[in-house]
Amino acid sequence: MNRQAILFFGLVLLFIAALLGYQSLLPPQMNGSAIEPPAAMGDFTLQSGSGDVTLSQFQGQYVILYFGYTSCPDVCPTTLAGLREALSRLGDKASQFQVIFVSVDPGRDSPAYASTYASRFNSAFLGLTGSAETIGVVAKQFGIFYKLNPADASGFYTVDHTASVLVLNPSGSLVLTWPYGLQPDQLEEDMRVLLKKK
Amino acid sequence: MKKIILIAVAFTLLLSACGAPAAEMVSITQNGIEISQAWVRAASMKSEMGAETMPAHGAVSGAFMLIKNSNAEADLLLKASSDAAEMVQIHETTMQAGVMSMAEVPGITIPTGSAVELKPGSYHIMLIGLKRELKQGETISINLSFQNAGDIGFEIPAQMP
């Protein structure tokens, strides 16, 4: 190899090293939308199959909050299954995240049913609901839209709802939202970024 | 070089195998309509899930698949039925400004020479009021009625939610 070639490759390597160094200084990119500064969201008390659950009792952990309904055959289960997969990739760090599923359809989902539904995805997932009135207040508090559609001739109805997942930091403030459709590895990446911040 | 290509091909195949939802996937072709990659979401009955009362219509599930039309004319999926549920509808999920909506549609057009995928976040066959628990690995029978291709019945496996 002649001297010119050595010089050229040396410069290329130097350039790559500088680029990598620069990138490591930048704040890590999130796949979801980071909320900066984190937004205080307030507290709530809803019901699981085994009684009252208050959001603030999870302070110290990240809370992954998802609003949906159990008669939803595709988006809700896909989201919960994606969270299960992402958390299983995190291994023992998964215990730093608490997944809470809130049913916005208390007319069909009892607290017991919401709880059992959520725990089918992962035994650590919590499923909650409350009175129609409380659900309305909590959804509004967290910026979640939902609407019960008119029933068809057979009495079946669907529910429109915000499909994003909310992530609250260990002090209960909103730090991140995930739109529907992110893949488990993308969720896992964001979870790892959050854990580094903690 | 040949070896490297072979390894790359094997690796790609391995990766695509990992991405495939599961084993015993059905593939059935009838009157130019091919149905493949069909699966139904495993689901429990509400009464078995700690619900004190059975709310209207019990539990639901969704069936997903790839429908390919190799006929010279477009076809229309008009109706779906299954003995596993009290009611079966064709639904479409749409996303607008982050809000998910799901509604019954009158049918799904399968254009000529192409395929339509029924998948989460798009079309699905909605099973309302399950008559029994759908355990992973079990199958249910489903029948699809097409405008041109007629009725196509097949078994689809239940998979974890």
Side-chain angles (χ1 to χ4, degrees), chain B residues 10-60:
Chain B
F11 193 64
T12 315
L13 282 176
L14 197 70
L15 279 182
S16 53
C18 291
E24 2 85 51
M25 283 291 185
V26 291
S27 174
I28 177 168
T29 306
Q30 199 175 303
N31 299 333
I33 294 285
E34 181 193 345
I35 293 159
S36 60
Q37 298 169 34
W39 63 284
V40 60
R41 202 181 285 286
S44 299
M45 300 293 288
K46 282 202 167 180
S47 54
E48 291 158 6
M49 289 180 70
E52 306 81 18
T53 53
M54 273 280 277
H57 294 295
V60 304

Side-chain angles (χ1 to χ4, degrees), chain B residues 42-110:
Chain B
S44 299
M45 300 293 288
K46 282 202 167 180
S47 54
E48 291 158 6
M49 289 180 70
E52 306 81 18
T53 53
M54 273 280 277
H57 294 295
V60 304
S61 184
F64 307 90
M65 65 202 70
L66 188 70
I67 305 175
K68 201 172 164 186
N69 179 8
S70 56
N71 291 316
E73 272 178 61
D75 209 337
L76 190 63
L77 170 62
L78 290 169
K79 195 172 165 288
S81 58
S82 172
D83 55 11
E86 284 165 22
M87 194 161 68
V88 181
Q89 296 178 345
I90 304 169
H91 276 215
E92 185 180 17
T93 297
T94 50
M95 201 71 75
Q96 212 161 26
V99 175
M100 188 228 43
S101 310
M102 175 174 87
E104 188 178 8
V105 290
I108 303 175
T109 303
I110 319 291

Side-chain angles (χ1 to χ4, degrees), chain A residues 11-32:
Chain A
L11 279 174
V12 168
L13 278 178
L14 202 68
F15 178 72
I16 291 171
L19 204 65
L20 287 176
Y22 173 69
Q23 275 186 340
S24 69
L25 292 176
L26 292 174
Q29 283 293 311
M30 302 285 251
N31 296 304

Side-chain angles (χ1 to χ4, degrees), chain A residues 14 37 39 44 99 106 134 156 162 176 185 193:
Chain A
L14 202 68
F44 64 65
V99 173
T134 311
F156 180 77
T162 303
L176 183 68
D185 58 331
V193 171

Side-chain angles (χ1 to χ4, degrees), chain A residues 93-178:
Chain A
K93 291 197 177 87
S95 61
Q96 298 185 54
F97 293 89
Q98 174 63 53
V99 173
I100 300 180
F101 164 78
V102 176
S103 169
V104 296
D105 186 18
R108 284 183 296 194
D109 297 338
S110 63
Y113 190 36
S115 291
T116 318
Y117 176 82
S119 67
R120 281 181 65 227
F121 291 89
N122 179 316
S123 57
F125 287 10
L126 266 177
L128 310 176
T129 192
S131 67
E133 193 190 352
T134 311
I135 290 296
V137 171
V138 172
K140 202 168 177 189
Q141 180 187 342
F142 285 86
I144 299 296
F145 169 85
Y146 73 98
K147 187 182 98 188
L148 309 186
N149 290 310
D152 65 17
S154 73
F156 180 77
Y157 60 91
T158 62
V159 182
D160 295 358
H161 64 90
T162 303
S164 318
V165 177
L166 309 180
V167 186
L168 309 178
N169 69 11
S171 46
S173 295
L174 182 68
V175 282
L176 183 68
T177 63
W178 283 317

